[in-house]
Amino acid sequence: MKNLLIVYYSYTGGTRQIAEAAAAAAQSEEDVKISLMRAADCEPADMLNADGYIFATPENLAAMAGVMKAFFDRCYYPLLGQIEGRPYAAMICAGSDGENARKQLERIATGWRLKKVIDTPIICTHAQTEEEILAPKTITETDKGQCSEIGATLAAGLAMGVF
């Protein structure tokens, strides 16, 4: 059995929704175990036990969320040279842009020499005011569908041995 690990951080619920959408779709593969884990709880051993990854983070102040960055900081060096070639995908939840968070996350994955198998979507909530930014988010069904496809694709690829 293959293992797909989905690591996420969410403060206002948007990123949690896209991570859950990916996890729900991935569940359709019987030969793949899905683990949905908050970034604060994920340790290097969890990463070593997985065959593929989905990373989901909000963009905060034009960067990857600090909690997600702390996860990468905690796991990067203990895993360096141990997870090379494993497949990954990423998802960014942003108020308007999301590009810098995408670039940061993808650079870290490149350093680990992970294999990006799907382009990283930026799910835009259009939150611009302080009130909108801090409010609980509701992700559209269309955007959740895009994230579901990512989960289904990673799980299917792991099950078939494509990755």
Side-chain angles (χ1 to χ4, degrees):
M1 177 167 283
K2 298 290 186 171
N3 295 304
L4 174 61
L5 175 62
I6 302 171
V7 181
Y8 77 98
Y9 168 71
S10 189
Y11 181 73
T12 61
T15 306
R16 178 186 46 78
Q17 291 170 59
I18 64 176
E20 288 174 348
Q27 295 286 349
S28 64
E29 287 296 333
E30 294 178 7
D31 295 332
V32 179
K33 177 185 175 203
I34 312 304
S35 298
L36 180 63
M37 185 171 282
R38 294 177 330 127
D41 299 329
C42 190
E43 296 295 331
D46 300 307
M47 295 281 293
L48 280 173
N49 290 327
D51 300 293
Y53 314 100
I54 298 175
F55 304 112
T57 185
E59 179 186 58
N60 291 344
L61 302 173
M64 179 187 333
V67 173
M68 196 71 180
K69 175 70 167 59
F71 151 72
F72 285 118
D73 288 343
R74 184 174 62 255
C75 293
Y76 188 83
Y77 289 107
L79 295 172
L80 197 57
Q82 297 186 62
I83 59 174
E84 292 178 3
R86 294 183 189 182
Y88 90 94
M91 304 179 294
I92 308 298
C93 187
S96 60
D97 186 310
E99 282 297 320
N100 196 42
R102 181 189 58 78
K103 287 177 187 176
Q104 286 178 307
L105 197 154
E106 289 180 356
R107 285 180 79 176
I108 292 166
T110 297
W112 268 334
R113 292 171 181 60
L114 297 176
K115 179 183 175 184
K116 183 170 84 167
V117 296
I118 300 172
D119 287 335
T120 303
I122 297 173
I123 306 304
C124 188
T125 65
H126 304 286
Q128 295 300 298
T129 67
E130 179 182 2
E131 182 178 272
E132 291 170 338
I133 291 167
L134 296 174
K137 303 297 181 287
T138 301
I139 304 302
T140 68
E141 291 303 315
T142 300
D143 287 336
K144 285 193 276 189
Q146 184 177 8
C147 298
S148 293
E149 288 178 25
I150 290 171
T153 300
L154 259 288
L158 286 173
M160 292 187 292
V162 173
F163 306 130

